[in-house]
Amino acid sequence: MDTDTTTAVLILLGPPGAGKGTQARRLEERFGLIQLSTGDLLRAAVAAGTPAGLAAQTVMEAGGLVSDEIVLAILRERMAAPDVKAGVILDGFPRTAAQAAALDTLLAEAGQKVTAAISLGVDDAAMIARVAGRFTCARCGEGYHDTFKQPAQAGCCDKCGGTEFKRRADDTAETAQARLAAYHAQTAPLIAHYRALGVLQTVDAMQGIDTVAQELGSIVSRVSA
Ligand code: ADP
Ligand code: ADP
Ligand code: ZN
């Protein structure tokens, strides 16, 4: 990252299914920020069959957390690209205390810090239902849900008109339980870390997608002003 202190670094914190990806895409469109999802980066590494991808695949399928070493390596590489100067929304990173500490160090080296960490709160039961019903457009990646967000015209993506959709191998009710346990054990404690840094914001993510988007938009407008 460069040393421009106006570069926003926003973190979306929340369990699987909280709406991090959905909301990160909205913020990207509205504020011109760059969505940086370690889940997407890891899935790309798995698809490309890189050594990191091969090591990550079994862990991801079981709903565990990929090692800090692998995640930090792909995150550092992505943060070095020039487009992130527009400001970033970290979606699904950091997920452990070690990742949070590494991010603080990486940013400090560039004279930066976390602008805001926004915690998206959802009930455990809702999280399982959201993950189990999730699917995305195979062409543009727009997210959908069997119950909560179907395409306006069945079988046709609202964004790009694509007709192919896909589901993630790890979006089953069983794996969701393991991912939820990993969230509570390793990621939820980061809420206290960001509260102590004075950058924590919270949004009730049990509300509808548009309401959550409005509240996030107000926070982002305020903190990046
Ligand atoms: P979700 O959107 O459901 O929270 P992600 O796409 O963010 O899921 O992540 C999918 C999987 O990728 C996780 O279950 C985990 O195995 C791995 N993963 C993603 N980000 C991280 C991270 N920061 N640290 C460790 N593992 C990660
Ligand atoms: P995350 O990236 O945090 O794992 P997603 O953004 O992929 O979560 O959302 C999980 C699923 O829940 C998707 O199918 C999405 O369409 C749906 N969803 C997201 N936000 C909401 C919401 N506020 N209310 C109902 N469903 C939602
Ligand atoms: Zn599409």
Side-chain angles (χ1 to χ4, degrees):
M1 305 208 60
D2 74 2
T3 51
D4 177 355
T5 47
T6 60
T7 302
V9 179
L10 303 164
I11 296 170
L12 292 184
L13 269 179
K20 302 181 297 294
T22 302
Q23 298 297 339
R25 280 173 78 97
R26 295 262 196 127
L27 292 172
E28 195 171 51
E29 283 168 12
R30 177 164 169 198
F31 293 95
L33 299 161
I34 302 292
Q35 173 189 10
L36 218 155
S37 155
T38 42
D40 286 347
L41 293 170
L42 287 166
R43 280 184 288 278
V46 170
T50 64
L54 291 174
Q57 187 168 19
T58 11
V59 180
M60 292 171 76
E61 281 171 2
L65 289 183
V66 174
S67 74
D68 290 333
E69 191 189 358
I70 289 178
V71 172
L72 285 166
I74 61 161
L75 193 268
R76 278 200 193 92
E77 190 187 333
R78 184 65 187 86
M79 295 274 277
D83 64 335
V84 305
K85 285 178 190 152
V88 291
I89 310 155
L90 297 173
D91 156 14
F93 178 91
R95 263 174 151 101
T96 64
Q99 291 177 16
L103 176 66
D104 291 341
T105 306
L106 184 72
L107 293 174
E109 281 165 4
Q112 303 260 332
K113 55 186 167 57
V114 171
T115 313
I118 310 169
S119 170
L120 299 178
V122 287
D123 299 348
D124 287 1
M127 167 270 157
I128 305 279
R130 285 194 192 174
V131 162
R134 165 162 61 188
F135 63 98
T136 53
C137 170
R139 194 197 283 172
C140 76
E142 181 69 5
Y144 293 98
H145 191 279
D146 291 330
T147 312
F148 308 126
K149 189 193 164 197
Q150 291 175 331
Q153 194 189 325
C156 182
C157 175
D158 298 346
K159 283 272 148 122
C160 77
T163 53
E164 300 258 328
F165 296 88
K166 56 183 185 180
R167 288 178 194 264
R168 279 166 46 181
D170 60 341
D171 277 350
T172 61
E174 305 81 69
T175 311
Q177 287 290 356
R179 288 154 65 197
L180 188 57
Y183 172 78
H184 285 303
Q186 297 190 260
T187 311
L190 301 185
I191 293 173
H193 173 76
Y194 291 111
R195 186 181 291 121
L197 290 178
V199 295
L200 183 72
Q201 306 276 344
T202 51
V203 169
D204 174 7
M206 290 300 289
Q207 306 177 99
I209 294 176
D210 290 341
T211 309
V212 175
Q214 270 171 18
E215 294 191 4
L216 280 171
S218 313
I219 291 172
V220 174
S221 303
R222 199 166 67 232
V223 298
S224 50

